[in-house]
């Protein structure tokens, strides 16, 4: 159907999002990673261009409900700033085998390399979201936005406290993340332990803050997932500015949040209200 995988709209959407994140300054060096669960018809449209000759490798996690799924993923150690100009060198399509334990690269990373070191976290989050959203969510995005990371050095690492403060920072925040944000204490990145902790929280939340590290977001498509990251980072930036001007003097009340929820037809996470 296409002469190159690069022509497929899902690849173009991925590249656009990765580049936007880079331009926002959320991806120093190789910081951050992005994965997309490819639709059946999308993978069919490029199948003739894929290479099925490589060996399967362990994922480092078991994701049974993702067996035989395909993902577009950034490469480990690859710079987000290079994805737009050298796409095939920096991202890849991986296929999960029929046990959900192994993957192989079927396209991309043409100059060598492997998928992101956070592949276990990405795939475990996809696995949880496939069930929790009935297959609606397809994008998992990890970035290193400055202000979201900064607040984890001064606020208690508590999902309720951080969510409530970020909700207060911009009236639209409870509309964009009504369930709130889950917080993971500092852990070594790249392994199964942080993947398990994150995916547990992803059962409930669409965004997870990794203390002193970054943010993971889940969403239906590239725009919505990017928009969630952008909203969280902007709210965190407002908080940093408010603190630098002497701290909160007045704010939105919990009754205000409840009124907003009623008018916008939201189900706000009551556990995070007082
Ligand atoms: P990768 O280069 O392996 O994707 O790692 C970047 C990162 O942000 C790890 O958390
Ligand atoms: Zn990271």
């Amino acid at each position: 159907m296409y002469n190159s995988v690069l022509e497929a709209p899902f690849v173009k959407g991925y590249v656009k999002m990765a580049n936007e994140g880079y331009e926002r300054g959320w991806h120093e060096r190789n910081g951050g990673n992005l994965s997309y669960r490819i639709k059946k018809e999308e993978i069919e449209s490029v199948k003739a261009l894929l290479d099925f000759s490589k060996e399967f490798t362990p994922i480092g996690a078991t994701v049974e409900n993702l067996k035989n799924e395909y993902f577009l993923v950034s490469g480990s150690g690859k710079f987000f700033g290079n994805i737009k100009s050298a796409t095939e060198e920096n991202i890849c399509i991986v296929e999960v085998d029929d046990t959900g334990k192994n993957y192989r690269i079927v396209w991309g990373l043409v100059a060598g390399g492997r998928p992101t070191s956070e592949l276990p976290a990405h795939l475990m989050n996809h696995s949880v979201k496939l069930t929790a959203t009935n297959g609606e969510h397809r994008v998992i995005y990890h970035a290193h936005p400055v202000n979201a990371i900064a607040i984890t050095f001064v606020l208690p690492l508590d999902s309720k406290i951080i969510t409530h403060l970020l909700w207060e920072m911009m009236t639209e925040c409870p509309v964009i993340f009504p369930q709130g944000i889950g917080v993971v204490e500092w852990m070594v990145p790249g392994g199964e332990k942080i993947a398990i902790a994150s995916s547990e929280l992803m059962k409930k939340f669409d965004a997870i803050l990794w203390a002193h590290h970054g943010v993971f977001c889940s969403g239906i498509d590239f725009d919505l997932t990017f928009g969630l990251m952008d909203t969280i980072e902007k709210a965190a930036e407002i908080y940093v500015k408010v603190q630098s001007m002497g701290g909160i003097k007045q704010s939105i009340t919990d009754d205000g949040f409840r009124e907003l929820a009623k008018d916008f037809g939201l189900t706000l996470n009551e556990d995070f209200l007082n």
Side-chain angles (χ1 to χ4, degrees):
M1 195 174 165
Y2 302 108
N3 293 317
S4 157
V5 171
L6 299 175
E7 291 169 17
F10 72 93
V11 179
K12 290 184 181 167
Y14 180 107
V15 171
K16 176 175 173 275
M17 174 172 168
N19 195 61
E20 269 175 19
Y22 170 69
E23 285 178 351
R24 294 295 170 99
W26 301 342
H27 300 284
E28 78 294 340
R29 207 176 176 279
N30 65 308
N33 21 76
L34 172 62
S35 64
Y36 170 68
R37 186 166 55 82
I38 302 170
K39 293 177 184 164
K40 296 274 175 278
E41 63 272 22
E42 289 170 333
I43 201 68
E44 285 309 319
S45 74
V46 297
K47 217 159 202 173
L49 301 163
L50 307 181
D51 168 12
F52 293 95
S53 67
K54 291 198 178 71
E55 294 291 312
F56 281 100
T57 317
I59 293 165
T62 304
V63 284
E64 252 172 61
N65 64 345
L66 299 181
K67 64 183 180 191
N68 306 319
E69 292 274 355
Y70 292 83
F71 294 85
L72 189 55
V73 190
S74 50
S76 185
K78 305 294 182 186
F79 292 21
F80 259 56
N82 293 334
I83 289 179
K84 193 176 172 190
S85 59
T87 307
E88 280 173 294
E89 281 83 354
N90 291 288
I91 67 172
C92 60
I93 294 177
V94 300
E95 177 193 13
V96 176
D97 74 356
D98 54 16
T99 67
K101 291 181 193 304
N102 305 291
Y103 75 90
R104 66 177 169 189
I105 296 173
V106 295
W107 175 85
L109 289 177
V110 292
R114 57 187 180 84
T116 172
S117 58
E118 304 292 2
L119 191 66
H122 277 259
L123 293 187
M124 287 187 74
N125 287 337
H126 277 293
S127 173
V128 159
K129 283 301 184 192
L130 181 72
T131 308
T133 71
N134 215 0
E136 258 204 323
H137 279 208
R138 292 189 171 272
V139 182
I140 299 288
Y141 181 35
H142 170 53
H144 294 174
V146 173
N147 297 284
I149 297 170
I151 63 170
T152 68
F153 290 89
V154 295
L155 289 172
L157 299 176
D158 177 277
S159 301
K160 177 177 176 175
I161 292 171
I162 289 184
T163 297
H164 200 284
L165 271 170
L166 294 183
W167 278 352
E168 286 176 63
M169 291 303 110
M170 209 161 50
T171 298
E172 295 284 306
C173 283
V175 183
I176 312 295
F177 47 95
Q179 257 321 105
I181 297 172
V183 179
V184 176
E185 63 180 36
W186 185 85
M187 283 185 199
V188 176
E192 199 179 6
K193 193 172 166 238
I194 199 164
I196 292 170
S198 305
S199 61
E200 266 310 304
L201 288 173
M202 274 289 185
K203 288 180 184 163
K204 221 156 100 192
F205 305 107
D206 291 341
I208 309 292
L209 186 55
W210 279 6
H212 324 319
H213 183 148
V215 181
F216 259 86
C217 288
S218 171
I220 294 172
D221 61 23
F222 295 123
D223 278 353
L224 289 169
T225 315
F226 187 86
L228 177 56
M229 184 73 74
D230 199 13
T231 308
I232 291 167
E233 170 58 2
K234 188 166 185 181
E237 184 177 353
I238 295 168
Y239 182 71
V240 170
K241 286 193 178 3
V242 168
Q243 287 300 89
S244 72
M245 292 188 292
I248 298 172
K249 304 271 192 301
Q250 60 270 326
S251 188
I252 306 167
T253 62
D254 279 27
D255 283 345
F257 285 137
R258 290 192 175 94
E259 251 178 81
L260 181 80
K262 198 160 150 254
D263 275 24
F264 278 69
L266 306 171
T267 313
L268 268 191
N269 188 345
E270 271 291 328
D271 294 346
F272 288 177
L273 290 173
N274 298 312

